[in-house]
Coordinates of all heavy atoms in Angstrom, one line a residue:
A1 N 15.7 20.2 -0.5 CA 14.3 20.8 -0.3 C 13.3 20.2 -1.2 O 13.6 19.5 -2.2 CB 14.4 22.3 -0.7
F2 N 12.1 20.3 -0.7 CA 11.0 19.7 -1.5 C 9.8 20.7 -1.4 O 9.8 21.6 -0.5 CB 10.6 18.3 -1.1 CG 10.3 18.2 0.4 CD1 9.0 18.2 0.8 CD2 11.3 17.9 1.3 CE1 8.6 18.1 2.2 CE2 11.0 17.8 2.6 CZ 9.7 17.9 3.1
D3 N 8.8 20.5 -2.2 CA 7.6 21.4 -2.2 C 6.5 20.7 -1.6 O 6.3 19.5 -1.8 CB 7.2 21.8 -3.6 CG 8.2 22.9 -4.1 OD1 8.8 23.6 -3.3 OD2 8.2 23.1 -5.4
V4 N 5.7 21.4 -0.8 CA 4.4 20.9 -0.3 C 3.3 21.8 -0.9 O 3.3 23.0 -0.7 CB 4.4 21.0 1.2 CG1 3.0 20.7 1.8 CG2 5.4 20.0 1.8
V5 N 2.4 21.1 -1.6 CA 1.3 21.8 -2.2 C 0.1 21.6 -1.2 O -0.2 20.5 -0.8 CB 0.9 21.2 -3.5 CG1 -0.4 21.9 -4.1 CG2 2.0 21.3 -4.5
C6 N -0.4 22.8 -0.7 CA -1.5 22.8 0.2 C -2.7 22.9 -0.6 O -3.1 24.1 -1.0 CB -1.3 23.8 1.3 SG 0.3 23.7 2.2
E7 N -3.4 21.8 -0.8 CA -4.5 21.8 -1.8 C -5.6 22.7 -1.4 O -6.1 23.5 -2.3 CB -5.0 20.4 -1.9 CG -6.0 20.1 -3.0 CD -5.4 20.1 -4.4 OE1 -4.2 19.9 -4.5 OE2 -6.2 20.3 -5.3
R8 N -6.1 22.7 -0.2 CA -7.3 23.5 0.2 C -6.9 25.0 0.2 O -7.8 25.8 0.0 CB -7.8 23.0 1.5 CG -8.7 21.8 1.3 CD -9.4 21.5 2.6 NE -8.6 20.8 3.6 CZ -8.4 21.2 4.9 NH1 -9.0 22.3 5.3 NH2 -7.6 20.5 5.7
S9 N -5.7 25.3 0.6 CA -5.3 26.7 0.8 C -4.8 27.3 -0.5 O -4.7 28.5 -0.6 CB -4.2 26.8 1.8 OG -4.5 26.1 2.9
G10 N -4.5 26.4 -1.5 CA -4.0 26.9 -2.8 C -2.6 27.5 -2.7 O -2.2 28.4 -3.5
L11 N -1.8 27.0 -1.8 CA -0.5 27.5 -1.6 C 0.5 26.4 -1.8 O 0.3 25.2 -1.5 CB -0.3 28.0 -0.1 CG -1.0 29.3 0.3 CD1 -0.7 29.5 1.8 CD2 -0.5 30.4 -0.5
T12 N 1.7 26.8 -2.4 CA 2.8 25.8 -2.5 C 3.9 26.4 -1.6 O 4.3 27.5 -1.8 CB 3.2 25.7 -4.0 OG1 2.1 25.1 -4.7 CG2 4.4 24.7 -4.1
V13 N 4.4 25.5 -0.8 CA 5.4 25.9 0.2 C 6.7 25.1 0.0 O 6.6 23.9 -0.1 CB 4.9 25.7 1.7 CG1 5.9 26.0 2.7 CG2 3.6 26.5 1.9
S14 N 7.8 25.7 0.0 CA 9.1 25.0 -0.1 C 9.6 24.7 1.3 O 9.6 25.5 2.2 CB 10.1 25.9 -0.8 OG 11.4 25.3 -0.9
V15 N 10.0 23.4 1.5 CA 10.5 23.0 2.8 C 12.0 22.8 2.7 O 12.5 21.9 2.0 CB 9.8 21.7 3.2 CG1 10.3 21.3 4.6 CG2 8.3 21.8 3.2
A16 N 12.7 23.7 3.4 CA 14.2 23.6 3.5 C 14.7 22.4 4.3 O 13.9 21.9 5.1 CB 14.7 24.9 4.0
P17 N 15.9 21.9 4.1 CA 16.4 20.8 4.8 C 16.3 20.9 6.3 O 16.1 19.9 7.0 CB 17.8 20.6 4.3 CG 17.9 21.3 3.0 CD 16.9 22.4 3.1
E18 N 16.5 22.1 6.8 CA 16.6 22.3 8.3 C 15.2 22.6 8.9 O 15.1 22.9 10.1 CB 17.6 23.4 8.6 CG 17.2 24.8 8.3 CD 17.4 25.2 6.8 OE1 17.9 24.3 6.0 OE2 17.2 26.3 6.5
Q19 N 14.2 22.5 8.0 CA 12.9 22.9 8.5 C 12.0 21.7 8.5 O 12.1 20.8 7.7 CB 12.3 23.8 7.4 CG 11.9 25.2 7.8 CD 11.3 25.9 6.6 OE1 11.3 25.5 5.4 NE2 10.8 27.1 6.9
T20 N 10.9 21.7 9.3 CA 9.9 20.7 9.3 C 8.8 21.1 8.3 O 8.7 22.3 8.1 CB 9.3 20.3 10.6 OG1 8.6 21.5 11.1 CG2 10.4 19.9 11.6
V21 N 8.0 20.2 7.9 CA 6.8 20.6 7.1 C 5.9 21.4 7.9 O 5.4 22.5 7.5 CB 6.1 19.3 6.6 CG1 4.8 19.7 5.9 CG2 7.0 18.5 5.6
L22 N 5.8 21.1 9.2 CA 4.9 21.9 10.1 C 5.4 23.3 10.2 O 4.5 24.2 10.1 CB 5.0 21.2 11.5 CG 4.2 21.9 12.6 CD1 2.7 21.7 12.4 CD2 4.6 21.3 14.0
E23 N 6.7 23.5 10.3 CA 7.2 24.9 10.4 C 7.0 25.6 9.1 O 6.6 26.8 9.0 CB 8.7 24.9 10.6 CG 9.1 24.5 12.1 CD 10.6 24.2 12.2 OE1 11.3 24.1 11.2 OE2 11.0 23.9 13.3
A24 N 7.3 24.9 8.0 CA 7.2 25.6 6.7 C 5.7 26.0 6.4 O 5.5 27.2 5.9 CB 7.7 24.7 5.6
V25 N 4.8 25.2 6.6 CA 3.4 25.6 6.3 C 2.9 26.6 7.3 O 2.2 27.5 7.0 CB 2.4 24.4 6.2 CG1 2.8 23.4 5.1 CG2 2.2 23.7 7.5
G26 N 3.4 26.5 8.6 CA 3.1 27.5 9.6 C 3.6 28.9 9.2 O 2.9 29.9 9.3
N27 N 4.8 29.0 8.6 CA 5.4 30.2 8.2 C 4.5 30.8 7.0 O 4.5 32.0 6.8 CB 6.8 30.1 7.7 CG 7.8 29.8 8.9 OD1 7.4 30.0 10.0 ND2 9.0 29.3 8.5
A28 N 3.9 29.9 6.3 CA 3.0 30.4 5.2 C 1.6 30.8 5.7 O 0.8 31.1 4.9 CB 3.0 29.3 4.1
G29 N 1.4 30.7 6.9 CA 0.1 31.1 7.5 C -0.9 30.0 7.7 O -2.1 30.2 8.0
I30 N -0.4 28.7 7.5 CA -1.3 27.6 7.7 C -1.0 26.9 9.0 O 0.0 26.3 9.2 CB -1.2 26.5 6.6 CG1 -1.5 27.2 5.2 CG2 -2.1 25.3 6.8 CD1 -1.1 26.3 4.0
D31 N -1.9 27.2 10.0 CA -1.6 26.7 11.3 C -2.2 25.3 11.5 O -3.4 25.1 11.4 CB -2.2 27.6 12.4 CG -1.4 28.9 12.5 OD1 -0.2 28.8 12.4 OD2 -2.0 30.0 12.6
V32 N -1.4 24.3 11.8 CA -1.8 22.9 12.0 C -1.6 22.7 13.5 O -0.5 23.0 14.0 CB -1.0 21.9 11.2 CG1 -1.4 20.5 11.5 CG2 -1.2 22.2 9.7
L33 N -2.5 22.1 14.2 CA -2.4 21.8 15.6 C -1.2 20.8 15.8 O -1.1 19.9 15.0 CB -3.6 21.2 16.2 CG -4.8 22.1 16.4 CD1 -6.0 21.3 16.9 CD2 -4.4 23.2 17.3
S34 N -0.4 21.1 16.8 CA 0.7 20.2 17.1 C 0.9 20.1 18.6 O 0.4 21.0 19.3 CB 2.0 20.6 16.4 OG 2.4 21.9 16.9
S35 N 1.6 19.1 19.0 CA 1.8 19.0 20.4 C 3.2 18.5 20.7 O 4.1 19.3 21.1 CB 0.8 18.0 21.0 OG 1.1 17.8 22.4
C36 N 3.5 17.2 20.5 CA 4.9 16.7 20.8 C 6.0 17.2 19.9 O 7.1 17.4 20.3 CB 4.8 15.2 20.8 SG 4.7 14.5 19.1
E37 N 5.6 17.4 18.6 CA 6.6 17.8 17.6 C 7.8 16.8 17.5 O 8.9 17.1 17.1 CB 7.1 19.2 17.8 CG 5.9 20.1 17.6 CD 6.1 21.6 17.4 OE1 7.3 22.0 17.3 OE2 5.2 22.4 17.3
E38 N 7.5 15.5 17.9 CA 8.5 14.5 17.9 C 8.0 13.2 17.2 O 8.6 12.1 17.3 CB 9.0 14.1 19.3 CG 9.8 15.2 20.0 CD 10.2 14.8 21.4 OE1 9.8 13.8 21.9 OE2 11.0 15.6 21.9
G39 N 6.8 13.3 16.6 CA 6.3 12.1 15.9 C 5.7 11.1 16.8 O 5.7 9.9 16.4
V40 N 5.2 11.4 18.0 CA 4.7 10.4 18.9 C 3.2 10.6 19.3 O 2.6 9.6 19.7 CB 5.6 10.2 20.2 CG1 7.0 9.7 19.8 CG2 5.6 11.5 21.0
C41 N 2.7 11.8 19.1 CA 1.3 12.0 19.7 C 0.2 11.9 18.7 O -0.9 11.6 19.0 CB 1.3 13.3 20.4 SG 1.2 14.7 19.3
G42 N 0.5 12.2 17.4 CA -0.5 12.1 16.4 C -1.3 13.4 16.2 O -2.2 13.4 15.3
T43 N -1.1 14.4 16.9 CA -1.9 15.6 16.8 C -1.8 16.3 15.4 O -2.7 16.8 14.9 CB -1.4 16.7 17.9 OG1 -1.5 16.1 19.1 CG2 -2.3 17.9 17.8
C44 N -0.6 16.2 14.8 CA -0.4 16.9 13.5 C -0.7 16.0 12.3 O -0.3 16.4 11.2 CB 1.1 17.4 13.5 SG 2.2 16.0 13.3
E45 N -1.3 14.9 12.5 CA -1.6 14.0 11.4 C -2.3 14.6 10.3 O -3.3 15.3 10.5 CB -2.4 12.8 11.9 CG -2.5 11.7 10.8 CD -3.1 10.4 11.4 OE1 -3.5 10.3 12.6 OE2 -3.1 9.4 10.6
T46 N -1.8 14.5 9.1 CA -2.3 15.2 7.9 C -2.5 14.3 6.8 O -1.7 13.4 6.6 CB -1.3 16.3 7.5 OG1 -1.2 17.3 8.6 CG2 -1.7 17.1 6.3
T47 N -3.6 14.4 6.1 CA -3.9 13.6 4.9 C -3.0 13.9 3.7 O -2.9 15.1 3.4 CB -5.4 13.8 4.5 OG1 -6.2 13.4 5.7 CG2 -5.8 12.9 3.3
V48 N -2.5 12.9 3.1 CA -1.6 13.0 2.0 C -2.5 12.7 0.7 O -3.1 11.7 0.6 CB -0.4 12.0 2.0 CG1 0.4 12.1 0.8 CG2 0.4 12.2 3.3
L49 N -2.5 13.7 -0.2 CA -3.3 13.5 -1.4 C -2.5 12.9 -2.5 O -3.0 12.1 -3.3 CB -3.9 14.8 -1.8 CG -4.9 15.5 -0.8 CD1 -5.3 16.9 -1.3 CD2 -6.1 14.6 -0.6
S50 N -1.2 13.3 -2.6 CA -0.3 12.6 -3.5 C 1.1 12.9 -3.2 O 1.4 13.8 -2.4 CB -0.6 13.0 -5.0 OG -0.1 14.2 -5.3
G51 N 2.0 12.1 -3.7 CA 3.4 12.1 -3.3 C 3.7 11.0 -2.3 O 2.8 10.4 -1.8
E52 N 5.0 10.8 -2.1 CA 5.4 9.7 -1.2 C 6.1 10.2 0.0 O 7.2 10.8 0.0 CB 6.3 8.8 -2.0 CG 6.5 7.4 -1.3 CD 7.5 6.5 -2.0 OE1 7.8 6.8 -3.1 OE2 8.0 5.6 -1.3
P53 N 5.4 10.1 1.2 CA 6.0 10.6 2.4 C 7.2 9.8 2.8 O 7.3 8.6 2.6 CB 4.9 10.5 3.5 CG 3.6 10.2 2.7 CD 4.1 9.6 1.4
D54 N 8.2 10.5 3.5 CA 9.3 9.8 4.1 C 9.0 9.8 5.6 O 9.2 10.8 6.3 CB 10.6 10.6 3.8 CG 11.8 10.1 4.5 OD1 11.7 9.0 5.1 OD2 12.8 10.7 4.5
H55 N 8.3 8.7 6.0 CA 7.8 8.7 7.4 C 8.9 8.6 8.5 O 9.8 7.7 8.4 CB 6.9 7.5 7.6 CG 5.7 7.5 6.7 ND1 4.6 8.4 7.0 CD2 5.3 6.9 5.6 CE1 3.7 8.2 6.1 NE2 4.1 7.3 5.2
R56 N 8.9 9.5 9.4 CA 9.9 9.5 10.5 C 9.2 9.5 11.9 O 9.9 9.7 12.9 CB 10.8 10.7 10.4 CG 11.5 10.6 9.0 CD 12.6 11.7 8.9 NE 13.1 11.6 7.5 CZ 14.2 12.4 7.1 NH1 14.7 13.2 8.0 NH2 14.6 12.3 5.9
D57 N 7.9 9.2 11.9 CA 7.2 9.1 13.2 C 7.3 7.8 13.9 O 7.8 6.8 13.2 CB 5.8 9.5 13.0 CG 5.1 8.4 12.2 OD1 5.1 8.5 10.9 OD2 4.5 7.5 12.7
S58 N 6.9 7.7 15.1 CA 6.9 6.4 15.8 C 5.5 5.9 16.1 O 5.2 5.2 17.1 CB 7.6 6.6 17.2 OG 8.6 7.5 17.1
L59 N 4.5 6.4 15.3 CA 3.1 6.2 15.6 C 2.4 5.3 14.5 O 1.7 4.4 14.9 CB 2.5 7.6 15.6 CG 1.2 7.7 16.3 CD1 1.4 7.5 17.8 CD2 0.7 9.1 16.1
L60 N 2.6 5.6 13.3 CA 2.0 4.8 12.2 C 2.5 3.4 12.2 O 3.7 3.2 12.4 CB 2.2 5.5 10.9 CG 1.5 6.8 10.6 CD1 1.9 7.4 9.3 CD2 0.0 6.7 10.8
T61 N 1.7 2.4 11.8 CA 2.2 1.0 11.7 C 2.9 1.0 10.3 O 2.8 1.9 9.5 CB 1.0 0.1 11.6 OG1 0.2 0.4 10.5 CG2 0.1 0.2 12.9
E62 N 3.6 -0.1 10.1 CA 4.3 -0.3 8.9 C 3.3 -0.3 7.7 O 3.6 0.2 6.6 CB 5.1 -1.6 8.9 CG 6.4 -1.6 9.7 CD 7.3 -0.4 9.5 OE1 7.5 -0.1 8.3 OE2 7.7 0.3 10.4
E63 N 2.2 -0.9 7.9 CA 1.1 -0.9 6.9 C 0.7 0.5 6.5 O 0.5 0.8 5.4 CB -0.1 -1.8 7.3 CG 0.2 -3.3 7.4 CD 1.0 -3.7 8.6 OE1 1.1 -2.9 9.6 OE2 1.5 -4.8 8.6
E64 N 0.4 1.3 7.6 CA 0.0 2.6 7.4 C 1.0 3.5 6.7 O 0.7 4.3 5.8 CB -0.4 3.3 8.7 CG -1.7 2.7 9.3 CD -2.0 3.2 10.7 OE1 -1.0 3.4 11.5 OE2 -3.1 3.3 11.1
K65 N 2.3 3.2 7.1 CA 3.4 3.9 6.4 C 3.5 3.6 4.9 O 3.6 4.4 4.1 CB 4.7 3.7 7.1 CG 4.8 4.4 8.4 CD 6.1 4.1 9.2 CE 6.1 4.9 10.5 NZ 7.2 4.6 11.4
A66 N 3.3 2.3 4.6 CA 3.4 1.9 3.2 C 2.2 2.4 2.5 O 2.3 2.8 1.3 CB 3.4 0.3 3.2
A67 N 1.0 2.5 3.1 CA -0.2 3.1 2.4 C 0.0 4.6 2.1 O -0.4 5.0 1.0 CB -1.4 2.9 3.2
G68 N 0.7 5.3 3.0 CA 1.0 6.7 2.7 C -0.1 7.6 2.6 O -0.1 8.6 1.9
E69 N -1.2 7.3 3.3 CA -2.4 8.1 3.2 C -2.4 9.3 4.2 O -3.1 10.3 4.0 CB -3.7 7.3 3.4 CG -3.9 6.3 2.3 CD -5.0 5.3 2.5 OE1 -5.5 5.2 3.7 OE2 -5.2 4.5 1.6
T70 N -1.6 9.1 5.2 CA -1.5 10.2 6.2 C 0.0 10.3 6.6 O 0.7 9.4 6.4 CB -2.3 10.1 7.5 OG1 -1.8 9.1 8.3 CG2 -3.8 9.8 7.2
M71 N 0.4 11.5 7.2 CA 1.7 11.6 7.7 C 1.7 12.6 8.9 O 0.8 13.4 9.0 CB 2.7 12.1 6.6 CG 2.3 13.5 6.2 SD 3.3 14.1 4.8 CE 4.9 14.4 5.5
M72 N 2.7 12.4 9.7 CA 2.9 13.4 10.9 C 3.9 14.4 10.4 O 5.1 14.2 10.2 CB 3.6 12.6 12.1 CG 2.8 11.4 12.6 SD 1.1 11.7 12.9 CE 0.4 10.1 12.6
I73 N 3.3 15.6 10.1 CA 4.2 16.6 9.5 C 5.2 17.3 10.4 O 6.0 18.1 9.9 CB 3.3 17.7 8.7 CG1 2.4 18.5 9.7 CG2 2.5 17.0 7.7 CD1 1.7 19.7 9.1
C74 N 5.1 17.0 11.7 CA 6.2 17.6 12.6 C 7.5 16.9 12.4 O 8.5 17.5 12.7 CB 5.7 17.4 14.1 SG 5.6 15.8 14.7
V75 N 7.6 15.7 11.8 CA 8.8 15.0 11.6 C 9.0 14.4 10.3 O 10.1 14.3 9.8 CB 9.1 13.9 12.7 CG1 9.3 14.4 14.1 CG2 7.9 12.9 12.7
S76 N 7.9 14.0 9.6 CA 8.1 13.2 8.4 C 8.3 14.2 7.2 O 7.9 15.3 7.2 CB 6.8 12.4 8.1 OG 6.8 11.4 9.2
R77 N 9.0 13.6 6.2 CA 9.4 14.5 5.0 C 8.9 13.9 3.7 O 7.8 13.2 3.7 CB 10.9 14.7 5.1 CG 11.4 15.2 6.5 CD 12.8 15.6 6.5 NE 13.1 16.7 5.6 CZ 12.9 18.0 6.0 NH1 12.4 18.3 7.2 NH2 13.1 19.0 5.2
C78 N 9.6 14.1 2.7 CA 9.1 13.7 1.3 C 10.2 12.9 0.6 O 11.4 13.2 0.7 CB 8.8 14.9 0.6 SG 8.3 14.6 -1.1
R79 N 9.8 11.8 0.0 CA 10.8 11.0 -0.7 C 11.1 11.5 -2.1 O 12.1 11.2 -2.7 CB 10.3 9.5 -0.9 CG 10.4 8.7 0.3 CD 10.2 7.2 0.0 NE 10.0 6.5 1.3 CZ 10.9 6.1 2.1 NH1 12.2 6.4 1.8 NH2 10.6 5.4 3.2
G80 N 10.2 12.3 -2.7 CA 10.4 12.9 -4.0 C 10.6 14.4 -3.9 O 11.1 14.9 -2.9
A81 N 10.1 15.0 -4.9 CA 10.2 16.5 -5.0 C 9.0 17.2 -4.5 O 9.0 18.4 -4.2 CB 10.5 16.9 -6.5
R82 N 7.9 16.5 -4.3 CA 6.6 17.2 -4.1 C 5.6 16.3 -3.3 O 5.4 15.1 -3.7 CB 6.0 17.5 -5.4 CG 5.1 18.7 -5.4 CD 4.7 19.0 -6.8 NE 3.5 18.2 -7.2 CZ 2.4 18.7 -7.7 NH1 2.3 20.0 -7.8 NH2 1.4 18.0 -7.9
L83 N 5.0 16.9 -2.4 CA 3.8 16.3 -1.7 C 2.6 17.2 -1.8 O 2.7 18.4 -1.8 CB 4.1 16.2 -0.2 CG 5.1 15.1 0.4 CD1 5.2 15.4 1.9 CD2 4.5 13.7 0.2
V84 N 1.5 16.6 -2.0 CA 0.2 17.3 -2.0 C -0.5 16.9 -0.7 O -0.8 15.7 -0.5 CB -0.6 17.0 -3.3 CG1 -1.9 17.9 -3.2 CG2 0.2 17.3 -4.5
L85 N -0.8 17.9 0.1 CA -1.4 17.6 1.4 C -2.8 18.3 1.5 O -3.1 19.3 0.8 CB -0.6 18.1 2.5 CG 0.8 17.6 2.6 CD1 1.6 18.2 3.8 CD2 0.8 16.0 2.7
D86 N -3.7 17.7 2.3 CA -5.0 18.2 2.5 C -5.0 19.3 3.5 O -5.5 19.1 4.6 CB -6.0 17.1 2.9 CG -7.4 17.5 2.9 OD1 -7.8 18.5 2.3 OD2 -8.2 16.9 3.7
L87 N -4.4 20.4 3.2 CA -4.2 21.6 4.1 C -4.8 22.8 3.4 O -4.7 22.9 2.2 CB -2.8 21.8 4.5 CG -2.1 20.8 5.4 CD1 -0.7 21.1 5.6 CD2 -2.8 20.7 6.7
Ligands
FES1 FE1 2.9 15.0 17.8 FE2 3.3 15.6 15.3 S1 2.9 16.9 16.9 S2 3.1 13.6 16.1

């Protein structure tokens, strides 16, 4: 599990291994638009303020993945213990 800090909402949400970030923040009342939920459409793209995303989408380029400035929260996860997102 890892924590997602939702900076604008002032909420910290724990993401369990069987859950997506999209589901976890949704359960906390933060609704992010989504569509494919498979990392291909880009609808759920979210700005990363800090932390290192574990990118699992098929949309960002290698350069964008390395930059780590945004992530698709329907599939991508966290490499460390904590991500801070612009949510
Ligand atoms: Fe399509 Fe996340 S909902 S990439």
Side-chain angles (χ1 to χ4, degrees):
F2 56 93
D3 283 340
V4 168
V5 178
C6 302
E7 185 76 18
R8 278 188 283 127
S9 311
L11 290 175
T12 298
V13 178
S14 176
V15 183
E18 70 279 6
Q19 242 182 350
T20 65
V21 174
L22 181 69
E23 285 166 356
V25 300
N27 289 345
I30 302 169
D31 288 320
V32 177
L33 286 179
S34 64
S35 177
C36 71
E37 301 195 1
E38 292 181 351
V40 297
C41 75
T43 306
C44 70
E45 185 167 11
T46 298
T47 299
V48 179
L49 299 174
S50 78
E52 196 183 344
D54 176 9
H55 296 287
R56 300 190 184 185
D57 65 275
S58 326
L59 201 67
L60 294 175
T61 64
E62 287 309 314
E63 289 76 16
E64 288 169 331
K65 286 179 179 172
E69 290 168 358
T70 71
M71 66 186 286
M72 304 308 154
I73 63 168
C74 64
V75 289
S76 296
R77 307 188 67 82
C78 176
R79 285 193 193 282
R82 204 174 89 125
L83 283 173
V84 182
L85 301 181
D86 185 26
L87 289 176

